[in-house]
Amino acid sequence: MRRLLFLLAPVLMFGDDLKSLLEFAKKNNDLLVSSKLTQDAKAQDVESKKSAYFPTIDVGVFYKTMDERNLMQAGDVYSGYAKTGLDIYDGGRKSSQLDQAKNEHKASEHDTIEMKKALSLDITKDFYSIKNFEASLVAKQDANKSLQEQLTRIKKYVEAKLATKDDIDRLQAAYDTNMYDIEALRFQILSTHKLLELKVGKSIDSLDASNFNDTLLQNMENSDAIASMMAKESSLINSAESINSAYYPQIRVEESYNIYGYDRADAAHLAGVDKQNIFMVSANMRIFDYGTLNDAKQAVLINSYALKSQVAYKTKEQKMQYDLALFRIETSEIKIKSAKSALVAATSAFTTINEKYNVGIVDYVVYLNALSAKTSAKALYETSLNELEVAYASYYYYSGKNLEEFIK
């Protein structure tokens, strides 16, 4: 048993890195599964519109009975028939509907891809938020150890009457406040962790370190959200063309074969046909409808113009976010240098002041300020590193790329 645990220990120690979480979420997130099913439904609708070009075949039967009937009528009449039909010309309605279905399917594909990319960015932000909280927690726990040591030391001084009770009270207040912050951070870690599990679609024990490549791209591609709106705009134009097709001739040919039977016929009944083959060509065209269809067409076109305006806005918004992400990368790198310098200085200062406080050269106010500065600097440095990763994630997202392709 011990040997088994020893062999499994390296496996159990590993957590989930960001790339594995993104790949798992793309296959198991419930909202993505729903979006993919919607996409499949749109694909099936395309196949349905293609099938409309083929002839139709109908079969049917009817039975009619009359208790009281006129002379020369049969009491029971029954029939069976088979009918085939084909649209010769429909003003372009079917082709417009097929193009509409194709564009709706294309839009649904882009919607699914955009959802995947947006979900990846959300997961990335949650991932590094947890890392930030954990860094703050570690810093607070280190401060907690220092405060605990000083409390133990001061209590001994009070017992030896070398210090007063108010010295203990001040340190105790700082210790309790620090414990409050620790518990608050634990809850933030737990809540963000649960939210991350919901988005990924599985339970997560721990998170391994993950980093993005620091590659700056040469071009920005339109987001899939914009591509989806463009496809929807084209779909609306196709819909308008389909409505307009009603003003063109609609020509259809049909051929049916009927079999008839009669019962309860008297001597005066003239026997009807037993078999009948019917061929029919029909044509119709809308001449006047008080502008109903034209108004419907204009309403659809106006919606397409609205989408065009949204595309223009979203394109500008993406470019703005792209530029901001670049600037965020630059500022994050500067912040890391500043945070690292502050951490070195705060750590050195605390080491010196801690020694002085132990021998009574400085008071508790100086000690607590130095401890607070060290705690904040340590958390700030780790946070600045994580902010740079989120900045790169945002940059790749607004470049129109898949985030997992740029994770080391």
Side-chain angles (χ1 to χ4, degrees), residues 97-116:
Q97 289 177 343
L98 177 58
D99 290 339
Q100 180 183 357
K102 287 180 178 179
N103 280 311
E104 287 178 353
H105 178 237
K106 185 187 297 183
S108 69
E109 286 181 327
H110 287 297
D111 285 340
T112 300
I113 296 171
E114 175 60 27
M115 184 178 289
K116 287 179 180 179

Side-chain angles (χ1 to χ4, degrees), residues 52-71:
Y53 282 96
F54 294 98
T56 59
I57 299 175
D58 299 285
V59 295
V61 296
F62 78 82
Y63 172 76
K64 181 175 72 173
T65 182
M66 293 179 292
D67 292 334
E68 297 181 6
R69 64 186 189 279
N70 295 323
L71 291 175

Side-chain angles (χ1 to χ4, degrees), residues 247 286-298:
Y247 289 117
R286 179 72 56 87
I287 300 298
F288 180 73
D289 62 0
Y290 211 73
T292 301
L293 292 179
N294 186 61
D295 290 342
K297 172 188 172 183
Q298 292 304 316

